[in-house]
Amino acid sequence: MNMKLFDVYPLQPVTIVRAHGAYVWGDDGTRYLDMYGGHAVISIGHTHPHWVKRIEQQLETLAFYSNSVHLPIQEELADLLLKVTEKKDYQLFLCNSGAEANENALKLASFHTGRKKIIAFRQSFHGRTSLAVAVTDNPTILAPVNAIDHVIFLPFNDEQALEDCFKQHADSIAAVIVEGIQGVGGIRVAGDAFLQSIRHHCHLHGAVMIADAVQCGYGRTGQFFSHDHAGISADIYTMAKGMGNGFPVGGLLIAPNIKPRHGMLGTTFGGNPLACAAALAVLEVMQQENLMQNAATIGAYLFNHLSAIPEWQAVRGRGLMIGFDLPPAFANLKNTLLTNAHVFTGEAKPATIRLLPPLSLTQEQADSFLHKLQHAIENNMHSFTQ
Ligand SMILES: Cc1ncc(COP(=O)(O)O)c(C=O)c1O
């Protein structure tokens, strides 16, 4: 164990030294197919040449200045983001991570409504900072100091429970925060009717609907925000992961009726020119290479093939955000795929495989994954029956 690093991560037995597109390379030269995307972060592909060039050019021009001056690249990013998301008149606040985006969104909702009760859902994950972790349904990562008594956890996808809660607490709810697809919770898709019901009740009672699109957003499901599939507009969208393709950047898209005032939110590093350059490069490549459409097409292809595998139960997801549950005989599949088939995948406890590859995944790469998976299943069955 390396005593210099605070040991909080269970590490995979691989040292990554290089990456390109949908592949990463270990220090022994082994090439791995990255079906995990570094935890849904790699959107346009590792070290995409346009992304590298744009960051390099920005680095040579202006790497940093504080938010006390006008930084035109922030407006350039806001313009393109509003165009791509079709969230006309929304306002952009930039920060550095998903937790920070949710922290600011919840704080903003409370400022806006003057209220403090928040509705969140079972199996949610919203980050590890104080409010973000308080609305996360995982007591093991909640420090005593983070425990607050104004969060109400409701069952996910339960419209009746939502309605009852709003009836009971009517005008004291500041916000409802919901992932369009629960990621850490095991790839659980929020039903369209459920999201529409949240929209309806928030509207009716003056609460703020916060769409956590940190993992499920940025084109991954074939729509810019996975919440878009329900045909609704949230009051605030939170974004991070895919936004910078690995460059740390997060943000909030905020509906026009939520008014800012000086000092309300703030950050030193949020919206720095390098992060904006990275985020602009991501959107430009998404447009040039039609990556949202690709995520929808290749995602559907993978989904259909995975659903046809008799061993898998309950294949779930949308676009390139797919999960399936492993029967006990396959408990070790993630490690087998990594060590024997050289494929990175993600997981969710207790036994779900999560696929979160770059949105640029090709048909050949999807086929290669399916082939390796089939092989791993056959080997697994073979060793299990021996
Ligand atoms: C849905 C969701 N929200 C928020 C976060 C927190 O993001 P970050 O790790 O960038 O703070 C995550 C991270 O996995 C997430 O999946």
Side-chain angles (χ1 to χ4, degrees):
M1 191 182 17
N2 188 336
M3 297 305 288
K4 291 179 195 153
L5 298 178
F6 199 56
D7 186 19
V8 289
Y9 299 114
L11 298 181
Q12 317 241 40
V14 178
T15 301
I16 299 294
V17 292
R18 186 161 70 85
H20 187 73
Y23 296 103
V24 296
W25 281 262
D27 58 354
D28 61 354
T30 306
R31 188 181 81 165
Y32 297 83
L33 179 62
D34 189 8
M35 295 297 287
Y36 171 57
H39 206 76
V41 164
I42 302 304
S43 44
I44 58 170
H46 289 279
T47 60
H48 191 289
H50 179 67
W51 178 86
V52 171
K53 202 164 131 225
R54 226 185 191 291
I55 296 173
E56 277 175 356
Q57 279 172 348
Q58 190 59 48
L59 189 57
E60 284 169 4
T61 317
L62 173 69
F64 181 79
Y65 206 79
S66 91
N67 283 309
S68 64
V69 298
H70 183 217
L71 295 167
I73 195 167
Q74 295 183 343
E75 271 151 43
E76 199 186 334
L77 174 58
D79 282 343
L80 188 55
L81 194 55
L82 296 194
K83 190 167 153 230
V84 175
T85 57
E86 296 176 20
K87 300 291 172 203
K88 205 171 156 284
D89 300 330
Y90 275 56
Q91 311 151 86
L92 177 64
F93 178 77
L94 289 161
C95 56
N96 308 285
S97 69
E100 212 187 314
N102 285 329
E103 196 77 23
N104 280 298
L106 291 161
K107 191 171 168 180
L108 187 53
S110 180
F111 270 135
H112 178 69
T113 57
R115 307 170 184 171
K116 58 182 183 182
K117 272 200 178 14
I118 299 158
I119 297 178
F121 298 99
R122 293 272 163 233
Q123 291 180 288
S124 60
F125 185 89
H126 298 292
R128 292 167 184 274
T129 56
S130 58
L131 269 177
V133 80
V135 295
T136 288
D137 182 26
N138 182 351
T140 65
I141 62 168
L142 188 84
V145 72
N146 299 133
I148 51 174
D149 61 8
H150 36 263
V151 180
I152 303 170
F153 284 101
L154 298 180
F156 190 58
N157 272 333
D158 187 334
E159 289 153 53
Q160 190 60 55
L162 183 75
E163 191 179 331
D164 293 346
C165 183
F166 264 105
K167 257 188 206 146
Q168 193 185 341
H169 298 283
D171 299 335
S172 56
I173 307 289
V176 179
I177 182 164
V178 63
E179 293 160 82
I181 301 178
Q182 290 189 331
V184 176
I187 312 289
R188 300 189 193 276
V189 182
D192 290 352
F194 180 58
L195 291 176
Q196 287 157 6
S197 175
I198 295 174
R199 176 64 284 174
H200 169 75
H201 287 291
C202 284
H203 186 68
L204 202 67
H205 297 285
V208 173
M209 178 175 183
I210 301 172
D212 181 341
V214 167
Q215 186 168 149
C216 58
Y218 248 80
R220 179 158 292 283
T221 65
Q223 297 272 351
F224 195 88
F225 296 118
S226 75
H227 305 73
D228 292 346
H229 292 276
I232 50 135
S233 269
D235 300 304
I236 302 178
Y237 294 87
T238 58
M239 308 164 286
K241 296 198 187 290
M243 188 172 185
N245 196 47
F247 199 100
V249 54
L252 283 69
L253 274 187
I254 304 159
N257 65 310
I258 300 179
K259 303 291 178 211
R261 68 169 163 76
H262 288 174
M264 195 180 210
L265 306 178
T267 157
T268 298
F269 293 119
N272 69 78
L274 281 176
C276 291
L280 274 163
V282 167
L283 293 173
E284 287 156 358
V285 171
M286 277 175 70
Q287 285 189 311
Q288 280 154 16
E289 299 184 8
N290 214 3
L291 292 187
M292 277 204 269
Q293 182 55 49
N294 190 64
T297 310
I298 305 293
Y301 180 78
L302 274 174
F303 190 96
N304 291 339
H305 278 77
L306 289 166
S307 302
I309 299 176
E311 283 80 4
W312 296 166
Q313 302 150 10
V315 180
R316 301 179 295 275
R318 260 177 175 150
L320 287 174
M321 183 165 184
I322 302 176
F324 51 89
D325 297 338
L326 298 174
F330 290 90
N332 211 24
L333 185 78
K334 182 169 172 278
N335 292 340
T336 310
L337 281 172
L338 181 65
T339 316
N340 300 348
H342 303 149
V343 178
F344 267 94
T345 55
E347 68 184 343
K349 304 282 179 220
T352 301
I353 291 282
R354 266 198 292 171
L355 304 179
L356 304 157
L359 310 186
S360 52
L361 195 78
T362 63
Q363 167 96 35
E364 292 71 41
Q365 289 161 346
D367 281 332
S368 158
F369 167 68
L370 290 168
H371 178 75
K372 286 166 186 255
L373 183 65
Q374 197 56 49
H375 198 67
I377 293 172
E378 280 154 24
N379 281 350
N380 192 90
M381 288 314 279
H382 185 64
S383 57
F384 196 70
T385 49
Q386 270 184 344

